[in-house]
Amino acid sequence: MNVVIAIDGPAGAGKSTVAKRIADALSYFYIDSGSLFRAITFKVIQSGLDMNDINGIIKLAENSTIDFSNNKVFLDSIDVNSKIRSAIVNSNVSHIAKISEVRDIIADIQRNIALKKNVVVEGRDIGTTIFPNAAFKFFLVASVEERARRRLLELNSSGSNYSLEEVMEQISKRDIIDSNRAVSPLRKAEDAIIIDTDGKCIDDVVNEILFNIKSFN
Ligand code: C5P
């Protein structure tokens, strides 16, 4: 059985940067599960499908191939990494993520990778639903303001011009949808270790997680 390290938490808690660093440090494969939902959302938007056309969205997801290569996500063999971080994807992705059939497709992609490799997987439901038997589970948290500040930097570095208040509102809305959906809501697994990233630099968070992993070995 390959080793799974699950890193869950809300938007902007620092999961991506930290998970990538942990994967690098241990030479594990990095899976950004959010990018899978984002890729489907991007394709739905591109196709002009109505966000309420659940059957159409499920069909579209069934007819998509999503892979990772060099920490980048490829949708139908095209690198969509930069396109899936846009504001329009941000504001629609949580609606797509409520659809259980889409979640099943995305769960299979993650589990198939873990059949072949040791993985660090980041998301919302990794420790609870996707890999409930993961060897290590972490749940990253930070205040909404701190998380919005991080997302603001990411969004505005790609040319947007959002205010902190706007991003705080987007993030809070996404938290509410993600935490209250019927299937696989954002939730800390009972056996996950909470890491509060507020006011900590990336190195500190990475070291705290690596320390926890090593102390179990
Ligand atoms: O992590 P990221 O912000 O890229 O995730 C985008 C969205 O994908 C989340 O807001 C959530 O709606 C969905 N998601 C999810 N389950 C995961 C990962 C992401 O529902 N494991």
Side-chain angles (χ1 to χ4, degrees), residues 70-84:
N70 292 328
N71 287 350
K72 287 190 174 160
V73 64
F74 286 75
L75 169 69
D76 301 327
S77 305
I78 295 166
D79 175 358
V80 287
N81 226 53
S82 56
K83 298 190 172 118
I84 60 171

Side-chain angles (χ1 to χ4, degrees), residues 11 15 32-35 37-38 85 93-94 97 103 122-126 151 174 178 181:
K15 300 184 302 292
D32 170 3
S33 65
S35 70
F37 289 97
R38 287 172 177 276
R85 315 266 158 211
V93 63
S94 291
R103 300 199 71 84
E122 61 140 311
R124 305 289 191 290
D125 60 343
I126 310 304
R151 274 290 144 101
R174 208 134 65 85
D178 289 345
R181 66 174 169 237

Side-chain angles (χ1 to χ4, degrees), residues 130-183:
I130 307 298
F131 297 110
N133 298 319
F136 304 100
K137 297 181 188 178
F138 298 94
F139 194 83
L140 268 51
V141 295
S143 66
V144 176
E145 197 169 343
E146 171 98 23
R147 294 190 282 127
R149 237 181 268 121
R150 294 172 186 159
R151 274 290 144 101
L152 188 69
L153 280 178
E154 190 180 296
L155 279 168
N156 290 355
S157 70
S158 55
S160 311
N161 191 21
Y162 289 93
S163 68
L164 182 64
E165 288 68 31
E166 283 169 317
V167 181
M168 274 175 71
E169 196 187 323
Q170 284 173 13
I171 280 195
S172 304
K173 272 193 190 149
R174 208 134 65 85
D175 284 352
I176 291 171
I177 302 174
D178 289 345
S179 307
N180 292 296
R181 66 174 169 237
V183 239

Side-chain angles (χ1 to χ4, degrees), residues 169-206:
E169 196 187 323
Q170 284 173 13
I171 280 195
S172 304
K173 272 193 190 149
R174 208 134 65 85
D175 284 352
I176 291 171
I177 302 174
D178 289 345
S179 307
N180 292 296
R181 66 174 169 237
V183 239
S184 281
L186 163 65
R187 191 165 296 152
K188 178 187 129 17
E190 274 182 21
D191 50 350
I193 297 171
I194 295 184
I195 309 272
D196 188 345
T197 69
D198 244 351
K200 285 184 193 154
C201 68
I202 300 293
D203 280 348
D204 287 349
V205 178
V206 169

